[in-house]
Amino acid sequence: MALDIPSIYPITDTAISGLSIPEQVRRFIAGGATFIQIRDKQASSREFFEAAAAAMAIAREHDVRVVINDRVDIAMMVSADGVHLGQEDLSPPHARQLLGERAIIGYSTHTLQQAKEAAAMPVDYIAFGPVFPTSTKDRPDPVVGLEMLRQVKELIGDRPLVAIGGITLKTVRSVLTAGADSAAIISDVLCDADQISERISGLISLAHTV
């Protein structure tokens, strides 16, 4: 069964928001988010585990699905819904062996060839980007743009496509119109900690007009 992924997909970042992961998750949910990625590139393994466990407790209260960035081990320990893997992480087939058939596995791609290869793997959604310039990675991959996003959607067929990278309130409609099933957003949601819930809500409302 194809993954039912919402049109807006927020991702945590403690450096941008200045908030703990559990607090970010709480504010995402208050804004209407139903699918969240927990990501923290700076935390130690212990810190990340503790934050993810606390965030999962909040998510479970609200029936919100959570995937863990990179760390299959932590996803298993906190009973997350799945993982989001990058090109340098554990391969999707190996992650599937560890997590089982019911786990959600997302996979980041940055070229047409990577997307084509991902479509043959046991993944539930394929992320593609960065669609626009982004500041959330130290060494971002080259910007792919909307036209390549359209090509990827044609290439992967019915597999859910998540657009990522530099997406804002002003550009979210363009990526959804180009064929993305969901837009993963970090900076534009977290740039003002006091407005996280409102920004999520606004993005969801805008996505519903596409």
Side-chain angles (χ1 to χ4, degrees):
M1 182 182 294
L3 174 66
D4 179 21
I5 193 165
S7 54
I8 300 300
Y9 170 6
I11 301 174
T12 65
D13 190 302
T14 55
I16 296 172
S17 66
L19 300 172
S20 69
I21 286 174
E23 184 57 31
Q24 290 173 73
V25 168
R26 193 185 306 278
R27 297 187 190 195
F28 286 166
I29 293 171
T34 59
F35 191 102
I36 294 167
Q37 182 185 142
I38 293 179
R39 176 180 184 268
D40 191 332
K41 298 292 189 180
Q42 279 75 48
S44 68
S45 292
R46 178 176 178 176
E47 291 169 337
F48 193 30
F49 164 72
E50 292 175 348
M56 283 304 305
I58 297 166
R60 288 288 175 257
E61 291 177 4
H62 299 276
D63 198 26
V64 168
R65 292 174 294 175
V66 173
V67 296
I68 304 293
N69 181 269
D70 295 352
R71 300 292 299 271
V72 173
D73 56 342
I74 288 178
M76 294 172 70
M77 287 189 289
V78 302
S79 299
D81 295 282
V83 292
H84 180 91
L85 302 171
Q87 291 289 316
E88 307 294 321
D89 299 326
L90 188 69
S91 73
H94 287 127
R96 179 64 70 197
Q97 288 178 352
L98 291 169
L99 295 171
E101 292 303 314
R102 297 183 63 183
I104 298 169
I105 296 180
Y107 192 43
S108 287
T109 62
H110 313 290
T111 67
L112 292 176
Q113 183 61 32
Q114 288 176 357
K116 182 178 180 180
E117 292 171 357
M121 295 181 184
V123 299
D124 296 284
Y125 70 85
I126 295 170
F128 189 69
V131 181
F132 306 109
T134 177
S135 60
T136 58
K137 284 194 172 183
D138 294 332
R139 293 176 294 169
D141 290 274
V143 171
V144 297
L146 293 172
E147 181 53 40
M148 197 174 291
L149 186 68
R150 292 187 186 94
Q151 293 177 42
V152 168
K153 185 57 181 176
E154 294 177 3
L155 192 66
I156 68 174
D158 294 334
R159 199 72 59 93
L161 174 62
V162 176
I164 189 167
I167 300 168
T168 68
L169 190 67
K170 293 180 179 179
T171 60
V172 67
R173 292 185 84 255
S174 67
V175 300
L176 297 174
T177 301
D181 299 286
S182 181
I185 306 176
I186 305 175
S187 296
D188 202 56
V189 167
L190 299 175
C191 58
D192 184 343
D194 293 332
Q195 294 293 315
I196 289 173
S197 298
E198 289 79 4
R199 295 179 84 86
I200 289 282
S201 179
L203 283 160
I204 292 171
S205 296
L206 188 57
H208 286 165
T209 68
V210 176

mmCIF file of all heavy atoms in Angstrom, residues 128 131-132 144-155 161 163 167 171-182 210:
data_model
loop_
_atom_site.group_PDB
_atom_site.id
_atom_site.type_symbol
_atom_site.label_atom_id
_atom_site.label_comp_id
_atom_site.label_asym_id
_atom_site.label_seq_id
_atom_site.Cartn_x
_atom_site.Cartn_y
_atom_site.Cartn_z
ATOM 1 N N PHE A 128 13.695 14.501 -2.978
ATOM 2 C CA PHE A 128 14.549 15.008 -4.051
ATOM 3 C C PHE A 128 14.819 16.488 -3.829
ATOM 4 O O PHE A 128 13.918 17.272 -3.557
ATOM 5 C CB PHE A 128 13.871 14.800 -5.408
ATOM 6 C CG PHE A 128 14.766 15.093 -6.589
ATOM 7 C CD1 PHE A 128 15.843 14.266 -6.878
ATOM 8 C CD2 PHE A 128 14.527 16.185 -7.403
ATOM 9 C CE1 PHE A 128 16.670 14.529 -7.970
ATOM 10 C CE2 PHE A 128 15.340 16.450 -8.500
ATOM 11 C CZ PHE A 128 16.413 15.624 -8.786
ATOM 12 N N VAL A 131 15.645 21.683 -4.070
ATOM 13 C CA VAL A 131 14.920 22.318 -5.160
ATOM 14 C C VAL A 131 15.366 23.772 -5.331
ATOM 15 O O VAL A 131 15.504 24.270 -6.441
ATOM 16 C CB VAL A 131 13.401 22.245 -4.911
ATOM 17 C CG1 VAL A 131 12.643 22.895 -6.072
ATOM 18 C CG2 VAL A 131 12.955 20.795 -4.740
ATOM 19 N N PHE A 132 15.594 24.420 -4.202
ATOM 20 C CA PHE A 132 16.069 25.816 -4.185
ATOM 21 C C PHE A 132 17.323 25.897 -3.304
ATOM 22 O O PHE A 132 17.622 24.951 -2.574
ATOM 23 C CB PHE A 132 14.981 26.742 -3.632
ATOM 24 C CG PHE A 132 13.660 26.641 -4.337
ATOM 25 C CD1 PHE A 132 12.566 26.053 -3.711
ATOM 26 C CD2 PHE A 132 13.498 27.118 -5.632
ATOM 27 C CE1 PHE A 132 11.341 25.959 -4.348
ATOM 28 C CE2 PHE A 132 12.276 27.031 -6.289
ATOM 29 C CZ PHE A 132 11.197 26.437 -5.650
ATOM 30 N N VAL A 144 18.521 21.572 -7.822
ATOM 31 C CA VAL A 144 17.953 20.781 -8.918
ATOM 32 C C VAL A 144 16.867 21.529 -9.701
ATOM 33 O O VAL A 144 16.669 21.288 -10.891
ATOM 34 C CB VAL A 144 17.391 19.440 -8.403
ATOM 35 C CG1 VAL A 144 18.518 18.607 -7.810
ATOM 36 C CG2 VAL A 144 16.284 19.650 -7.376
ATOM 37 N N GLY A 145 16.127 22.405 -9.019
ATOM 38 C CA GLY A 145 15.104 23.184 -9.711
ATOM 39 C C GLY A 145 13.805 22.431 -9.951
ATOM 40 O O GLY A 145 13.713 21.213 -9.767
ATOM 41 N N LEU A 146 12.785 23.169 -10.379
ATOM 42 C CA LEU A 146 11.441 22.615 -10.553
ATOM 43 C C LEU A 146 11.333 21.666 -11.746
ATOM 44 O O LEU A 146 10.601 20.680 -11.694
ATOM 45 C CB LEU A 146 10.427 23.754 -10.694
ATOM 46 C CG LEU A 146 10.222 24.614 -9.444
ATOM 47 C CD1 LEU A 146 9.356 25.823 -9.780
ATOM 48 C CD2 LEU A 146 9.581 23.800 -8.323
ATOM 49 N N GLU A 147 12.040 21.974 -12.829
ATOM 50 C CA GLU A 147 11.937 21.124 -14.013
ATOM 51 C C GLU A 147 12.458 19.727 -13.738
ATOM 52 O O GLU A 147 11.853 18.720 -14.148
ATOM 53 C CB GLU A 147 12.686 21.751 -15.189
ATOM 54 C CG GLU A 147 12.608 20.930 -16.480
ATOM 55 C CD GLU A 147 11.193 20.573 -16.889
ATOM 56 O OE1 GLU A 147 10.279 21.419 -16.758
ATOM 57 O OE2 GLU A 147 10.983 19.426 -17.338
ATOM 58 N N MET A 148 13.566 19.624 -13.028
ATOM 59 C CA MET A 148 14.086 18.303 -12.698
ATOM 60 C C MET A 148 13.171 17.593 -11.718
ATOM 61 O O MET A 148 13.032 16.360 -11.755
ATOM 62 C CB MET A 148 15.515 18.398 -12.149
ATOM 63 C CG MET A 148 16.247 17.061 -12.188
ATOM 64 S SD MET A 148 17.989 17.178 -11.698
ATOM 65 C CE MET A 148 18.647 18.097 -13.090
ATOM 66 N N LEU A 149 12.521 18.356 -10.850
ATOM 67 C CA LEU A 149 11.545 17.761 -9.930
ATOM 68 C C LEU A 149 10.414 17.103 -10.728
ATOM 69 O O LEU A 149 9.990 15.991 -10.414
ATOM 70 C CB LEU A 149 10.990 18.840 -9.000
ATOM 71 C CG LEU A 149 10.060 18.376 -7.875
ATOM 72 C CD1 LEU A 149 10.836 17.555 -6.841
ATOM 73 C CD2 LEU A 149 9.396 19.582 -7.201
ATOM 74 N N ARG A 150 9.947 17.769 -11.777
ATOM 75 C CA ARG A 150 8.907 17.196 -12.642
ATOM 76 C C ARG A 150 9.401 15.910 -13.296
ATOM 77 O O ARG A 150 8.659 14.920 -13.392
ATOM 78 C CB ARG A 150 8.517 18.201 -13.735
ATOM 79 C CG ARG A 150 7.801 19.438 -13.232
ATOM 80 C CD ARG A 150 7.310 20.299 -14.394
ATOM 81 N NE ARG A 150 6.760 21.551 -13.919
ATOM 82 C CZ ARG A 150 7.425 22.686 -13.815
ATOM 83 N NH1 ARG A 150 8.703 22.730 -14.193
ATOM 84 N NH2 ARG A 150 6.858 23.771 -13.357
ATOM 85 N N GLN A 151 10.641 15.912 -13.729
ATOM 86 C CA GLN A 151 11.204 14.726 -14.371
ATOM 87 C C GLN A 151 11.285 13.553 -13.401
ATOM 88 O O GLN A 151 11.028 12.403 -13.777
ATOM 89 C CB GLN A 151 12.589 15.045 -14.925
ATOM 90 C CG GLN A 151 12.592 16.039 -16.078
ATOM 91 C CD GLN A 151 14.008 16.370 -16.537
ATOM 92 O OE1 GLN A 151 14.861 15.493 -16.644
ATOM 93 N NE2 GLN A 151 14.267 17.631 -16.796
ATOM 94 N N VAL A 152 11.637 13.842 -12.157
ATOM 95 C CA VAL A 152 11.732 12.783 -11.162
ATOM 96 C C VAL A 152 10.355 12.174 -10.904
ATOM 97 O O VAL A 152 10.215 10.948 -10.796
ATOM 98 C CB VAL A 152 12.346 13.312 -9.844
ATOM 99 C CG1 VAL A 152 12.172 12.296 -8.718
ATOM 100 C CG2 VAL A 152 13.825 13.612 -10.043
ATOM 101 N N LYS A 153 9.330 13.005 -10.835
ATOM 102 C CA LYS A 153 7.982 12.479 -10.607
ATOM 103 C C LYS A 153 7.579 11.535 -11.729
ATOM 104 O O LYS A 153 6.985 10.473 -11.483
ATOM 105 C CB LYS A 153 6.980 13.627 -10.490
ATOM 106 C CG LYS A 153 5.573 13.153 -10.139
ATOM 107 C CD LYS A 153 5.563 12.340 -8.842
ATOM 108 C CE LYS A 153 4.176 11.836 -8.501
ATOM 109 N NZ LYS A 153 4.185 10.979 -7.293
ATOM 110 N N GLU A 154 7.903 11.877 -12.944
ATOM 111 C CA GLU A 154 7.603 10.988 -14.071
ATOM 112 C C GLU A 154 8.419 9.693 -13.980
ATOM 113 O O GLU A 154 7.938 8.617 -14.331
ATOM 114 C CB GLU A 154 7.907 11.700 -15.392
ATOM 115 C CG GLU A 154 6.996 12.894 -15.672
ATOM 116 C CD GLU A 154 7.388 13.622 -16.950
ATOM 117 O OE1 GLU A 154 8.330 13.160 -17.630
ATOM 118 O OE2 GLU A 154 6.770 14.642 -17.271
ATOM 119 N N LEU A 155 9.619 9.819 -13.480
ATOM 120 C CA LEU A 155 10.532 8.679 -13.414
ATOM 121 C C LEU A 155 10.119 7.659 -12.358
ATOM 122 O O LEU A 155 10.223 6.448 -12.578
ATOM 123 C CB LEU A 155 11.947 9.194 -13.120
ATOM 124 C CG LEU A 155 13.131 8.247 -13.267
ATOM 125 C CD1 LEU A 155 13.305 7.846 -14.725
ATOM 126 C CD2 LEU A 155 14.395 8.927 -12.761
ATOM 127 N N LEU A 161 6.674 11.421 -3.725
ATOM 128 C CA LEU A 161 7.839 12.284 -3.929
ATOM 129 C C LEU A 161 7.793 13.450 -2.951
ATOM 130 O O LEU A 161 6.795 14.180 -2.896
ATOM 131 C CB LEU A 161 7.855 12.812 -5.365
ATOM 132 C CG LEU A 161 8.933 13.838 -5.713
ATOM 133 C CD1 LEU A 161 10.330 13.247 -5.539
ATOM 134 C CD2 LEU A 161 8.736 14.353 -7.141
ATOM 135 N N ALA A 163 9.596 16.923 -1.998
ATOM 136 C CA ALA A 163 10.526 17.978 -2.405
ATOM 137 C C ALA A 163 11.167 18.574 -1.155
ATOM 138 O O ALA A 163 10.502 18.758 -0.133
ATOM 139 C CB ALA A 163 9.790 19.063 -3.174
ATOM 140 N N ILE A 167 12.517 25.476 0.486
ATOM 141 C CA ILE A 167 11.096 25.706 0.213
ATOM 142 C C ILE A 167 10.515 26.644 1.265
ATOM 143 O O ILE A 167 10.758 26.496 2.459
ATOM 144 C CB ILE A 167 10.331 24.376 0.180
ATOM 145 C CG1 ILE A 167 10.905 23.464 -0.909
ATOM 146 C CG2 ILE A 167 8.834 24.612 -0.072
ATOM 147 C CD1 ILE A 167 10.416 22.038 -0.836
ATOM 148 N N THR A 171 7.080 29.601 -2.141
ATOM 149 C CA THR A 171 7.407 28.643 -3.204
ATOM 150 C C THR A 171 6.747 27.283 -3.047
ATOM 151 O O THR A 171 6.868 26.431 -3.936
ATOM 152 C CB THR A 171 8.931 28.438 -3.302
ATOM 153 O OG1 THR A 171 9.424 27.929 -2.039
ATOM 154 C CG2 THR A 171 9.640 29.739 -3.640
ATOM 155 N N VAL A 172 6.067 27.046 -1.940
ATOM 156 C CA VAL A 172 5.530 25.710 -1.679
ATOM 157 C C VAL A 172 4.521 25.287 -2.741
ATOM 158 O O VAL A 172 4.495 24.119 -3.162
ATOM 159 C CB VAL A 172 4.929 25.623 -0.257
ATOM 160 C CG1 VAL A 172 3.693 26.504 -0.115
ATOM 161 C CG2 VAL A 172 4.617 24.168 0.094
ATOM 162 N N ARG A 173 3.698 26.204 -3.216
ATOM 163 C CA ARG A 173 2.717 25.836 -4.239
ATOM 164 C C ARG A 173 3.416 25.397 -5.525
ATOM 165 O O ARG A 173 2.943 24.497 -6.226
ATOM 166 C CB ARG A 173 1.756 26.985 -4.530
ATOM 167 C CG ARG A 173 0.824 27.311 -3.384
ATOM 168 C CD ARG A 173 -0.206 28.375 -3.744
ATOM 169 N NE ARG A 173 -1.358 27.771 -4.429
ATOM 170 C CZ ARG A 173 -1.596 27.860 -5.725
ATOM 171 N NH1 ARG A 173 -0.753 28.504 -6.504
ATOM 172 N NH2 ARG A 173 -2.667 27.293 -6.247
ATOM 173 N N SER A 174 4.535 26.011 -5.834
ATOM 174 C CA SER A 174 5.228 25.682 -7.087
ATOM 175 C C SER A 174 5.774 24.261 -7.060
ATOM 176 O O SER A 174 5.757 23.573 -8.087
ATOM 177 C CB SER A 174 6.354 26.684 -7.365
ATOM 178 O OG SER A 174 7.402 26.581 -6.412
ATOM 179 N N VAL A 175 6.266 23.787 -5.913
ATOM 180 C CA VAL A 175 6.805 22.426 -5.868
ATOM 181 C C VAL A 175 5.687 21.397 -5.890
ATOM 182 O O VAL A 175 5.827 20.322 -6.490
ATOM 183 C CB VAL A 175 7.750 22.197 -4.663
ATOM 184 C CG1 VAL A 175 8.932 23.129 -4.714
ATOM 185 C CG2 VAL A 175 7.021 22.329 -3.347
ATOM 186 N N LEU A 176 4.561 21.713 -5.274
ATOM 187 C CA LEU A 176 3.434 20.790 -5.299
ATOM 188 C C LEU A 176 2.812 20.739 -6.691
ATOM 189 O O LEU A 176 2.431 19.667 -7.179
ATOM 190 C CB LEU A 176 2.395 21.196 -4.247
ATOM 191 C CG LEU A 176 2.879 21.137 -2.789
ATOM 192 C CD1 LEU A 176 1.817 21.700 -1.853
ATOM 193 C CD2 LEU A 176 3.244 19.708 -2.392
ATOM 194 N N THR A 177 2.766 21.874 -7.350
ATOM 195 C CA THR A 177 2.248 21.922 -8.719
ATOM 196 C C THR A 177 3.167 21.174 -9.673
ATOM 197 O O THR A 177 2.718 20.582 -10.661
ATOM 198 C CB THR A 177 2.084 23.382 -9.180
ATOM 199 O OG1 THR A 177 1.189 24.061 -8.285
ATOM 200 C CG2 THR A 177 1.516 23.469 -10.588
ATOM 201 N N ALA A 178 4.464 21.183 -9.385
ATOM 202 C CA ALA A 178 5.447 20.495 -10.238
ATOM 203 C C ALA A 178 5.390 18.979 -10.083
ATOM 204 O O ALA A 178 6.060 18.268 -10.829
ATOM 205 C CB ALA A 178 6.846 20.993 -9.929
ATOM 206 N N GLY A 179 4.615 18.496 -9.120
ATOM 207 C CA GLY A 179 4.465 17.053 -8.987
ATOM 208 C C GLY A 179 4.829 16.461 -7.644
ATOM 209 O O GLY A 179 4.595 15.274 -7.408
ATOM 210 N N ALA A 180 5.411 17.262 -6.757
ATOM 211 C CA ALA A 180 5.745 16.723 -5.437
ATOM 212 C C ALA A 180 4.468 16.407 -4.661
ATOM 213 O O ALA A 180 3.491 17.154 -4.721
ATOM 214 C CB ALA A 180 6.592 17.722 -4.659
ATOM 215 N N ASP A 181 4.488 15.299 -3.955
ATOM 216 C CA ASP A 181 3.356 14.941 -3.110
ATOM 217 C C ASP A 181 3.435 15.630 -1.759
ATOM 218 O O ASP A 181 2.422 15.774 -1.071
ATOM 219 C CB ASP A 181 3.337 13.420 -2.904
ATOM 220 C CG ASP A 181 3.176 12.677 -4.211
ATOM 221 O OD1 ASP A 181 2.060 12.681 -4.759
ATOM 222 O OD2 ASP A 181 4.184 12.117 -4.696
ATOM 223 N N SER A 182 4.636 16.043 -1.397
ATOM 224 C CA SER A 182 4.848 16.664 -0.101
ATOM 225 C C SER A 182 6.043 17.601 -0.180
ATOM 226 O O SER A 182 6.945 17.401 -1.008
ATOM 227 C CB SER A 182 5.113 15.581 0.955
ATOM 228 O OG SER A 182 5.307 16.137 2.241
ATOM 229 N N VAL A 210 -3.768 23.801 -3.783
ATOM 230 C CA VAL A 210 -3.128 23.291 -5.002
ATOM 231 C C VAL A 210 -3.991 22.216 -5.650
ATOM 232 O O VAL A 210 -4.453 21.302 -4.959
ATOM 233 C CB VAL A 210 -1.727 22.728 -4.691
ATOM 234 C CG1 VAL A 210 -1.103 22.115 -5.923
ATOM 235 C CG2 VAL A 210 -0.838 23.811 -4.114
#
